């Protein structure tokens, strides 16, 4: 019973404390001077109350233009948004600060925080990666602007992380084309193209061996399901892709499966070559038809002779 009473008193105390605090904050917003609000915003920030600090800074910034406090108000306001995980807002505010106060002692940090906010706001690899490209660009711009910065090493690390996300996205897309193809000709073509583009974009990727095999497999399925007239060129590509695979990965774990497709492609090319040879022989030995029409000449007329 006594424990319940203590809990009730404690809850009441917390409620009163919150109410008093809110009343005090509301009163400050309504009747406080600019200086009082500025001091309170700084105090709230130091205490970790970024929400109230942000509300006060947001209210003060239009009123402080031209004052010595204006610069710090905008800088800390950007940080209040960052601390509340409002990364899209904070990246905008940090960039705005940098553009406004390019010569400020805080300019370098602001440009870095602009890039870092974009990094934090980058989408997971399975979603659209526009934000990731934007973050990479911002990180590289920072390095170019401040090549000797203490933040340079961190930016390089974050760029590698972001590129890894793009790599994973491209890898999954290439695999998806292969997986859902179900011998669909357009999907098989897209798989081959996507894998080749991946290799160009990420030449050192850990996924390249697997994708090199999937490229062989996709091309083999494409050749196997093509019309006769296109099979020769496509089987030849299977052999070419297989050679690229074993040249790059001579002891690769996918080589045995790839070899089966390589050998079958060779057999199919032999069949195609034999059929082509027989067709040529048939054309050469085929007799002229007995009812071949004779050459028709135009009748000679007096008018024609005159011309």
């Amino acid at each position: 019973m006594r424990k319940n009473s203590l809990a009730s008193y404690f809850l009441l105390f917390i409620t009163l404390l919150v109410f008093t605090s809110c009343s005090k904050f509301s009163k400050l917003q309504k009747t406080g001077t600019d200086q009082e609000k500025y001091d309170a915003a700084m105090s709230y920030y130091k205490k970790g109350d970024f929400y109230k600090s942000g509300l006060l800074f947001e209210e003060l910034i239009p009123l402080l233009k031209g004052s010595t406090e204006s610069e710090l108000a905008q800088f800390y306001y950007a940080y209040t948004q960052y601390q509340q995980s409002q990364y899209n807002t904070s990246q905008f505010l940090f960039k705005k600060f940098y553009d406004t106060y390019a010569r400020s002692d805080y300019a370098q940090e602001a440009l870095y925080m602009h890039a870092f906010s974009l990094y934090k706001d980058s989408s997971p690899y399975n979603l659209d990666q526009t934000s990731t490209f934007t973050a990479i660009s911002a990180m590289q711009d920072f390095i170019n602007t401040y090549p000797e910065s203490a933040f340079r090493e961190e930016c390089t690390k974050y760029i590698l992380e972001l590129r890894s996300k793009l790599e994973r996205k491209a890898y999954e897309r290439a695999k998806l084309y292969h997986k859902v193809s179900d011998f669909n000709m357009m999907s098989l073509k897209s798989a081959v193209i996507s894998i080749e583009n991946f290799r160009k974009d990420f030449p050192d990727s850990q996924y390249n061996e697997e994708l090199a095999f999937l490229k062989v497999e996709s091309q083999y399925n494409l050749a196997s399901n093509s019309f006769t007239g296109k099979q020769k060129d496509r089987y030849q590509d299977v052999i070419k892709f297989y050679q690229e695979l074993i040249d790059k990965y001579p002891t690769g774990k996918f080589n045995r499966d790839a070899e089966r497709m390589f050998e079958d492609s060779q057999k199919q090319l032999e069949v195609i070559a034999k059929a082509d040879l027989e067709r040529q022989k048939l054309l050469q030995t085929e007799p002229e038809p007995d009812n071949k029409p004779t050459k028709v000449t135009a009748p000679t007329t007096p008018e024609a002779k005159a011309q």
Side-chain angles (χ1 to χ4, degrees):
M1 184 73 177
R2 187 175 180 180
K3 287 183 179 179
N4 291 336
S5 297
L6 287 172
S8 299
Y9 284 128
F10 180 74
L11 183 60
L12 179 61
F13 172 76
I14 294 297
T15 303
L16 289 172
L17 187 64
V18 171
F19 178 77
T20 303
S21 176
C22 290
S23 298
K24 182 180 178 181
F25 182 76
S26 297
K27 184 179 180 181
L28 176 67
Q29 282 185 301
K30 291 177 181 179
T31 62
T33 64
D34 291 349
Q35 189 61 50
E36 288 172 339
K37 291 178 181 179
Y38 180 83
D39 292 340
M42 285 294 191
S43 178
Y44 280 125
Y45 186 89
K46 291 176 182 178
K47 292 176 181 176
D49 193 339
F50 303 113
Y51 175 72
K52 288 180 181 177
S53 178
L55 288 178
L56 292 173
F57 279 131
E58 184 179 19
E59 181 184 338
L60 284 168
I61 286 171
L63 306 174
L64 295 176
K65 285 185 178 179
S67 69
T68 55
E69 292 88 356
S70 179
E71 180 181 333
L72 277 180
Q74 292 185 55
F75 184 69
Y76 277 99
Y77 177 50
Y79 259 115
T80 63
Q81 302 308 297
Y82 170 79
Q83 296 290 1
Q84 294 177 82
S85 301
Q86 300 298 316
Y87 301 123
N88 190 47
T89 303
S90 67
Q91 67 85 13
F92 170 79
L93 293 173
F94 279 121
K95 186 62 165 62
K96 183 179 179 181
F97 177 91
Y98 177 80
D99 291 339
T100 306
Y101 302 100
R103 296 182 180 180
S104 168
D105 292 340
Y106 303 101
Q108 182 180 150
E109 184 178 348
L111 189 61
Y112 168 75
M113 288 303 300
H114 159 70
F116 187 62
S117 295
L118 287 169
Y119 161 80
K120 297 286 283 185
D121 199 45
S122 174
S123 302
Y125 79 87
N126 56 325
L127 301 178
D128 179 76
Q129 290 301 294
T130 301
S131 59
T132 303
F133 282 108
T134 303
I136 290 174
S137 179
M139 287 286 177
Q140 191 60 58
D141 285 345
F142 177 84
I143 292 174
N144 295 341
T145 305
Y146 298 103
E148 304 300 324
S149 171
F151 297 117
R152 178 189 175 92
E153 188 174 338
E154 290 183 21
C155 286
T156 302
K157 182 185 74 172
Y158 294 137
I159 287 174
L160 291 176
E161 286 185 24
L162 292 166
R163 280 185 58 80
S164 178
K165 193 184 295 188
L166 295 178
E167 179 183 341
R168 178 70 184 276
K169 174 76 172 182
Y171 164 72
E172 295 293 347
R173 181 173 60 246
K175 282 193 68 176
L176 184 63
Y177 279 127
H178 178 269
K179 183 178 180 180
V180 304
S181 64
D182 195 24
F183 302 121
N184 177 279
M185 305 300 282
M186 289 305 297
S187 294
L188 289 168
K189 290 179 182 177
S190 296
V192 173
I193 294 170
S194 183
I195 291 168
E196 181 59 25
N197 289 338
F198 181 94
R199 186 188 64 80
K200 292 177 181 177
D201 293 337
F202 306 99
D204 300 320
S205 172
Q206 61 178 320
Y207 303 119
N208 274 328
E209 180 182 355
E210 179 186 357
L211 290 179
F213 165 71
L214 295 182
K215 184 179 176 183
V216 174
E217 188 173 52
S218 295
Q219 186 65 28
Y220 174 77
N221 290 335
L222 179 62
S224 301
N225 291 275
S226 295
F227 291 113
T228 305
K230 293 188 175 183
Q231 284 189 318
K232 180 179 178 180
D233 289 341
R234 290 175 176 174
Y235 276 122
Q236 287 174 340
D237 282 339
V238 175
I239 292 173
K240 182 178 75 172
F241 296 160
Y242 169 78
Q243 292 293 347
E244 291 174 356
L245 173 67
I246 61 171
D247 286 347
K248 187 83 179 281
Y249 310 100
T251 58
K253 59 184 178 180
F254 302 103
N255 290 6
R256 182 172 295 179
D257 290 333
E259 187 175 1
R260 285 196 288 268
M261 289 179 275
F262 164 72
E263 291 175 350
D264 187 61
S265 296
Q266 286 185 314
K267 291 177 182 177
Q268 295 302 324
L269 285 172
E270 290 173 3
V271 171
I272 292 170
K274 186 177 179 180
D276 287 344
L277 184 61
E278 290 177 353
R279 191 179 301 110
Q280 290 175 8
K281 288 180 178 179
L282 184 63
L283 290 173
Q284 291 173 357
T285 58
E286 191 174 48
E288 293 287 340
D290 295 333
N291 58 347
K292 181 177 179 181
T294 57
K295 184 176 180 181
V296 178
T297 56
T300 303
T301 63
E303 289 82 1
K305 285 182 178 181
Q307 293 177 358

